[in-house]
Amino acid sequence: MTHTKENYLKAIYHLDQNQEKISLSELGKKMEVSMPTVNSMVKSLQEKDWVIYQKYQPLQLTTKGKQKAALIIRKHRLTEMFLAQYMGFGWEEVHEIAEEIEHLQVDKFFDRMDELLGYPAVDPHGSPIPDKEGVVVAKSYVPLSEIEVGVQVRICSLVKSSKELLLYLNRKEIALGTELKIEKKEPFDKSILVRYQRPDKVMLSHEVAQLLLVELC
Amino acid sequence: MTHTKENYLKAIYHLDQNQEKISLSELGKKMEVSMPTVNSMVKSLQEKDWVIYQKYQPLQLTTKGKQKAALIIRKHRLTEMFLAQYMGFGWEEVHEIAEEIEHLQVDKFFDRMDELLGYPAVDPHGSPIPDKEGVVVAKSYVPLSEIEVGVQVRICSLVKSSKELLLYLNRKEIALGTELKIEKKEPFDKSILVRYQRPDKVMLSHEVAQLLLVELC
DNA sequence: CTATAAAGTTAGATTAGTCTAACAAATTTT
DNA sequence: AAAATTTGTTAGACTAATCTAACTTTATAG
């Protein structure tokens, strides 16, 4: 198993989460390689029994492939948590560093992180950390955009966390665990007005509200 | 710069510390590759201006190559220190893990380690950590085997630290910083009797005593 | 329902790192 | 100094991951 193949597997896994049908061109875009490269890589992943692929048909992950991918994601998210909790990195910095560290083969290192962190269930963006068997236990949260006026909720996760979003939330002093109350919803642009541990009410766009996953509290 | 080339450079650097003349066959042995592989790799290192090599002549590191190597060793030793100080790994475990981590490209990570550790000068085996410019400031210690009877010394470093040696020292409760007094030297086998923070006197073989680097105290 | 566009495939080349087999040069042994 | 050994070199091949160019299949848009 090479770093490269690990990255393909991870990419396929993430595409798999969002849609069912995975095309080679999408994978190529995600991996930033040409079509012939994807094509030959997919063949070689198939030989390892991580994907199922037939000419001109959509790509599928095998159970084995899903597990393999989940174990890489486990390393990634444990690392992110460690970087945030033990090394003082911000949640907007950890992804990039974890992208490199996730490929280390030395299990001891990740096991120790896990232990030091007290076996965390989620990473600094609220995404679930798969267990050592590659099983993911994900809670189902609701986008903030779907909550009614007057309801009190807690931010638990993010749909996807770009650096830009994370820096924006930093500026607004919104973090995982922040509890907020919907004060008003603007029908025209679907923006919402919320109140939390700050003197003033804050306006959040529909775009942002769709990305914040919350639970009632 | 690939991981592979980094490892060659490191190997050459270490050979360079012990002898002046570096042969391709030695390098091959150290890297566990065949002669033709070494041969072609050396040519490609030469193109990058990290070594000087002429057919049938001994291999030499350039200044640039030495610096490059020292920066990798910096990452290695900083990592070892971090693993020991922050993650609770034993000094016999850190080398193996650091061998993988030293190749990460993300400087932030090493800079943060350095900061958290308070800019350490040595790793958990007493080896000096090169600075960010690749400059090594090494103190010159003396092997314990050369110390006279009655003298009090402090263990500061190891000539080379195999896992076996480190586990042996663990059993004898000898660590960096341990202060000991030479009670007796046996002329026949050059073994020495020492006393330190333990009730009984301890016998150390000449072999071990040669590997322990000390300073007077 | 054909024509164009998009997606996928094949063929062939390249680079990095490795190997074995065969040979050549240098060194050591007798 | 000749023979034997070690060390180094060359040639040629292989795998992984990538590419471009040319072609084919499938999907889409009139």
Side-chain angles (χ1 to χ4, degrees):
Chain A
M1 179 68 150
T2 61
H3 289 195
T4 310
K5 286 201 170 62
E6 288 193 348
N7 283 332
Y8 277 90
L9 222 46
K10 220 176 25 139
I12 299 169
Y13 186 92
H14 283 133
L15 287 172
D16 197 50
Q17 306 283 283
N18 301 334
Q19 328 109 197
E20 344 68 81
K21 305 268 176 187
I22 304 168
S23 68
L24 298 204
S25 60
E26 279 175 304
L27 183 53
K29 250 167 243 155
K30 196 152 214 188
M31 293 300 299
E32 299 182 291
V33 295
S34 67
M35 286 291 308
T37 301
V38 177
N39 195 282
S40 74
M41 181 55 77
V42 159
K43 282 174 187 167
S44 117
L45 292 174
Q46 175 147 35
E47 275 164 29
K48 297 256 198 288
D49 200 32
W50 291 324
V51 300
I52 295 168
Y53 186 65
Q54 282 174 285
K55 271 191 183 186
Y56 305 108
Q57 292 313 116
L59 184 62
Q60 274 181 276
L61 268 179
T62 62
T63 306
K64 206 175 141 192
K66 267 183 199 135
Q67 198 204 14
K68 202 87 186 158
L71 289 175
I72 301 160
I73 289 164
R74 171 180 166 79
K75 288 183 184 177
H76 181 100
R77 294 188 177 158
L78 269 179
T79 301
E80 288 191 339
M81 204 60 181
F82 183 81
L83 293 171
Q85 301 283 292
Y86 269 77
M87 297 187 75
F89 285 105
W91 68 349
E92 76 287 357
E93 300 179 284
V94 299
H95 177 76
E96 185 194 343
I97 306 177
E99 283 287 299
E100 275 203 73
I101 297 181
E102 70 189 3
H103 300 295
L104 300 180
Q105 291 307 309
V106 58
D107 284 347
K108 250 189 192 183
F109 181 59
F110 297 101
D111 289 346
R112 180 59 55 86
M113 278 185 190
D114 199 18
E115 194 185 325
L116 289 171
L117 291 165
Y119 312 101
V122 296
D123 78 5
H125 314 109
S127 303
I129 298 176
D131 70 18
K132 290 188 86 171
E133 277 67 51
V135 178
V136 193
V137 189
K139 283 206 193 168
S140 59
Y141 300 116
V142 181
L144 179 60
S145 52
E146 290 175 19
I147 305 295
E148 296 310 313
V149 170
V151 179
Q152 176 92 4
V153 298
R154 182 184 308 109
I155 310 269
C156 292
S157 186
L158 304 171
V159 171
K160 63 181 170 50
S161 38
S162 63
K163 199 158 196 164
E164 292 69 40
L165 173 65
L166 297 172
L167 290 171
Y168 171 82
L169 295 175
N170 282 350
R171 286 195 296 278
K172 297 284 186 195
E173 294 172 68
I174 294 174
L176 290 194
T178 298
E179 297 188 359
L180 33 78
K181 194 174 161 201
I182 321 288
E183 296 283 344
K184 204 182 152 199
K185 296 185 85 163
E186 171 58 60
F188 174 64
D189 65 357
K190 298 181 189 152
S191 66
I192 61 179
L193 203 62
V194 296
R195 174 182 289 285
Y196 52 102
Q197 81 283 25
R198 265 164 77 117
D200 49 329
K201 291 175 191 167
V202 172
M203 199 278 277
L204 297 174
S205 69
H206 182 60
E207 249 173 301
V208 168
Q210 279 185 309
L211 294 172
L212 301 179
L213 296 170
V214 303
E215 67 181 5
L216 304 182
C217 65
Chain B
M1 180 66 149
T2 62
H3 289 195
T4 310
K5 286 203 169 63
E6 287 193 348
N7 283 332
Y8 276 90
L9 222 46
K10 219 177 26 141
I12 299 168
Y13 186 92
H14 283 133
L15 286 171
D16 197 49
Q17 307 283 283
N18 302 332
Q19 328 109 199
E20 344 68 81
K21 303 268 176 187
I22 305 168
S23 68
L24 298 204
S25 59
E26 280 175 304
L27 183 53
K29 251 166 242 156
K30 197 151 213 189
M31 292 302 296
E32 300 181 292
V33 295
S34 67
M35 288 289 310
T37 301
V38 177
N39 196 282
S40 74
M41 181 54 78
V42 159
K43 282 175 186 167
S44 115
L45 293 173
Q46 172 139 288
E47 275 164 28
K48 297 255 198 291
D49 201 31
W50 291 324
V51 302
I52 295 167
Y53 185 64
Q54 282 173 284
K55 271 194 183 183
Y56 304 109
Q57 291 312 117
L59 184 62
Q60 273 181 274
L61 270 178
T62 61
T63 306
K64 205 175 143 193
K66 268 184 198 134
Q67 198 204 13
K68 202 88 186 158
L71 289 175
I72 302 161
I73 289 164
R74 171 180 165 80
K75 288 183 183 176
H76 181 100
R77 294 188 177 157
L78 269 179
T79 301
E80 287 192 339
M81 205 60 181
F82 183 80
L83 293 170
Q85 302 282 291
Y86 268 78
M87 296 186 76
F89 285 104
W91 68 348
E92 76 287 356
E93 302 179 282
V94 298
H95 177 76
E96 186 193 342
I97 306 176
E99 283 287 300
E100 276 203 72
I101 297 181
E102 69 189 2
H103 300 294
L104 300 180
Q105 292 306 309
V106 56
D107 283 347
K108 250 190 193 183
F109 182 58
F110 297 100
D111 289 346
R112 180 58 55 86
M113 279 187 190
D114 199 18
E115 194 184 324
L116 289 171
L117 291 165
Y119 312 100
V122 296
D123 77 7
H125 314 109
S127 303
I129 299 176
D131 70 17
K132 289 189 87 171
E133 275 68 50
V135 178
V136 192
V137 189
K139 283 206 194 171
S140 59
Y141 300 117
V142 181
L144 178 61
S145 53
E146 288 175 20
I147 305 296
E148 295 310 313
V149 169
V151 178
Q152 176 93 4
V153 297
R154 182 185 307 107
I155 311 269
C156 292
S157 187
L158 303 170
V159 171
K160 62 180 171 48
S161 37
S162 62
K163 199 158 197 166
E164 292 69 39
L165 173 66
L166 296 172
L167 289 171
Y168 171 83
L169 295 175
N170 282 352
R171 286 195 296 278
K172 297 284 185 195
E173 295 173 67
I174 294 174
L176 290 195
T178 298
E179 297 189 357
L180 35 75
K181 194 175 159 198
I182 320 287
E183 294 284 344
K184 205 182 150 197
K185 296 184 85 163
E186 172 57 60
F188 173 65
D189 65 357
K190 298 180 187 153
S191 66
I192 62 178
L193 203 63
V194 296
R195 175 184 288 285
Y196 52 102
Q197 82 282 27
R198 263 163 76 117
D200 50 328
K201 291 173 191 168
V202 172
M203 199 277 277
L204 297 174
S205 69
H206 183 60
E207 248 173 303
V208 168
Q210 279 184 309
L211 293 173
L212 302 178
L213 295 171
V214 303
E215 68 180 4
L216 304 182
C217 66

